[in-house]
Amino acid sequence: MKRNVIVAPSVLSMDYSQMKEQLDEVSASGAEWLHFDVMDGHFVPNLTFGPDILKGFRKACDLFLDVHVMIERPAFFSEKFLTAGADNYTFHYEVMKEVEDIHNLASLVHSQSKSVGISIKPDTPVEVLKPFLNDFDVFLIMSVEPGFGGQKFIPESLDKIRTLRGWLDEAGSKAHIEVDGGINETTAVLAKSAGADVLVAGSYIFRQNIREAVKSLA
Ligand code: DX5
Ligand code: ZN
């Protein structure tokens, strides 16, 4: 089935000395989402940006702000990012202690009429997502170990995407499957044919002509 593909450039790999110019290029490129990687130095061994920086991005572009939090306390920070302008808020399955916490955070984000996503790391089996097929708008399958841009695509992610897409189709869910990490013109084709419809790309896009890179992924 042909799905509309959304490209989500990840600002983690942006040249921050040319933020505005690069954001304008992304907006002109046809990319619909902007992927915003939040890291707390605990869940992953890297530290990035918080809600105040997201406010700046919100003012600087009209793109759909797709916030991916790789942090230990996603519930605690959720309102701050939503208020700062997040359109989607994706948190990690691995930091949630109880199933109830997952449902509660998803409902909290929905109560603010925002999109909510759940993400799993490469070592987490896709089966953990099965109980939540109707609770989320976005399922983010990490195709690299979270924490850094520029890593190599993990091909085992494709089976997870295929399996998940089968379950979502069976459940009649229109949720997005987003793939994140090591996406380039080759792995994008594989991910799309496995059933992903949102492609995150950081280093591939920001290391070359932005418009051409985005076009080559869609
Ligand atoms: C990694 C982040 C990814 C990363 C993708 O923890 O979640 O979004 O920025 O970067 P590339 O596309 O360079 O693998
Ligand atoms: Zn990400």
Side-chain angles (χ1 to χ4, degrees):
M1 177 182 141
K2 189 95 179 79
R3 284 184 191 87
N4 170 44
V5 172
I6 294 168
V7 177
S10 164
V11 303
L12 188 66
S13 303
M14 183 177 248
D15 174 353
Y16 302 115
S17 69
Q18 307 182 45
M19 243 183 65
K20 187 68 182 106
E21 298 86 336
Q22 293 206 324
L23 263 185
D24 291 346
E25 277 301 293
V26 168
S27 299
S29 73
E32 294 173 57
W33 293 16
L34 191 68
H35 189 78
F36 195 82
D37 286 309
V38 181
M39 301 180 192
D40 64 0
H42 294 277
F43 180 64
V44 292
N46 196 357
L47 204 51
T48 58
F49 358 73
D52 289 341
I53 304 287
L54 184 70
K55 274 186 203 149
F57 278 88
R58 179 67 295 158
K59 278 162 65 179
C61 73
D62 298 331
L63 294 159
F64 181 89
L65 294 183
D66 171 35
V67 175
H68 172 202
V69 290
M70 288 154 277
I71 64 177
E72 277 183 355
R73 300 193 299 164
F76 176 81
F77 285 100
S78 56
E79 306 254 2
K80 291 175 174 57
F81 279 104
L82 295 172
T83 313
D87 294 299
N88 177 66
Y89 189 73
T90 293
F91 58 90
H92 269 265
Y93 167 82
E94 296 87 357
V95 300
M96 306 306 274
K97 304 275 176 293
E98 309 288 337
V99 167
E100 196 192 344
D101 298 342
I102 294 176
H103 284 301
N104 291 343
L105 183 48
S107 326
L108 185 138
V109 175
H110 276 152
S111 72
Q112 317 251 338
S113 317
K114 297 288 178 91
S115 166
V116 69
I118 188 164
S119 180
I120 52 172
K121 292 168 45 169
D123 291 351
T124 303
V126 68
E127 285 68 23
V128 305
L129 298 178
K130 203 151 189 193
F132 308 105
L133 298 181
N134 295 309
D135 300 292
F136 288 91
D137 309 290
V138 178
F139 291 91
L140 175 56
I141 303 294
M142 291 304 296
S143 40
V144 294
E145 195 56 33
F148 299 92
Q151 301 177 73
K152 214 168 145 341
F153 182 82
I154 298 172
E156 288 71 16
S157 317
L158 295 170
D159 276 346
K160 294 167 91 169
I161 294 168
R162 235 185 304 277
T163 304
L164 178 59
R165 182 52 77 193
W167 293 341
L168 291 172
D169 286 351
E170 235 172 85
S173 163
K174 293 275 167 279
H176 294 293
I177 297 183
E178 184 172 9
V179 61
D180 185 4
I183 293 294
N184 56 38
E185 76 281 15
T186 312
T187 55
V189 174
L190 301 173
K192 285 186 282 190
S193 56
D197 64 305
V198 182
L199 306 175
V200 175
S203 47
Y204 177 72
I205 288 177
F206 289 106
R207 285 188 188 154
Q208 60 175 307
N209 177 291
I210 291 170
R211 294 188 204 207
E212 280 165 27
V214 170
K215 215 163 65 209
S216 73
L217 295 179

